[in-house]
Amino acid sequence: MMRKFLPWMIGGGLLLILLFWYISVKNGAITVDQAVKKEWGNVETSYQRRNDLIGNLVKTVKGAAEFEKSTLEAVIAARSKATSITVDPTNITPEQFEQFNQAQSGVSSALSRLLVTVEKYPDLKANQNFLKLQDELASTENQILTARTRFNESVEAYNNYVLKMPRNLILSEYKEKAVFKAVAGAEKPVEVEFDFNNEKK
């Protein structure tokens, strides 16, 4: 009698194993997808902090007499362009990253020119608010680099999970996500050397 039901029991057991495997794979995909979204949130937070600091920096620099108007306008325009570009973490494409990177690189470049120009203004170089903002910007650039690195690591884990056989057979709705490929120099903090010992001649 037992032999009669043995094939059904084996079949049912196999179906249960497949069902649990299916559920496990689906739950795993949700986990790695949520990790990518979390890390992208950290990237956005780091860039938002830089944008906020730039706003304060511009206000401080505006107070300096005869400061180059075009330099400030370039920073403001670059910041505005960067904040207008959004990336959807559920469908990150290489094209989105290219736009995002170019905009953020524009901010870094304009900010670098602004900080170099400050060298001509001894009073501004000695301004405590400016010095504090400069230090915070340097720290934020490092935070951005860290956030981008962690984001890339989470995307790598996600892509490995959803693209490998046999999981990819049941995860067709999960597409490969793009990673940061930094514009040359964009991944590095803005490095500007100030010589506070030399007076303006």
Side-chain angles (χ1 to χ4, degrees), residues 36-45 47 81-104 148 151-152 155 177-180:
V36 170
K37 291 176 184 175
K38 174 192 166 190
E39 294 302 338
W40 179 250
N42 292 337
V43 169
E44 288 185 316
T45 299
Y47 277 116
K81 181 179 179 183
T83 55
S84 70
I85 295 175
T86 57
V87 175
D88 178 8
T90 61
N91 184 30
I92 299 171
T93 65
E95 293 77 23
Q96 285 179 320
F97 265 82
E98 181 66 24
Q99 283 185 322
F100 186 85
N101 273 343
Q102 284 181 353
Q104 295 300 338
R148 285 166 57 125
F151 172 79
N152 278 355
V155 170
K177 295 185 189 294
V179 295
F180 274 109

Side-chain angles (χ1 to χ4, degrees), residues 102-122:
Q102 284 181 353
Q104 295 300 338
S105 178
V107 173
S108 294
S109 178
L111 186 57
S112 178
R113 286 193 299 274
L114 173 68
L115 294 176
V116 168
T117 306
V118 167
E119 185 68 19
K120 301 175 185 176
Y121 299 85

Side-chain angles (χ1 to χ4, degrees), residues 54-90:
I54 288 172
N56 292 333
L57 186 71
V58 167
K59 287 177 186 175
T60 302
V61 172
K62 271 184 179 178
E66 300 176 0
F67 193 84
E68 284 89 335
K69 185 179 178 183
S70 61
T71 306
L72 281 174
E73 288 175 345
V75 172
I76 294 167
R79 177 180 176 238
S80 177
K81 181 179 179 183
T83 55
S84 70
I85 295 175
T86 57
V87 175
D88 178 8
T90 61

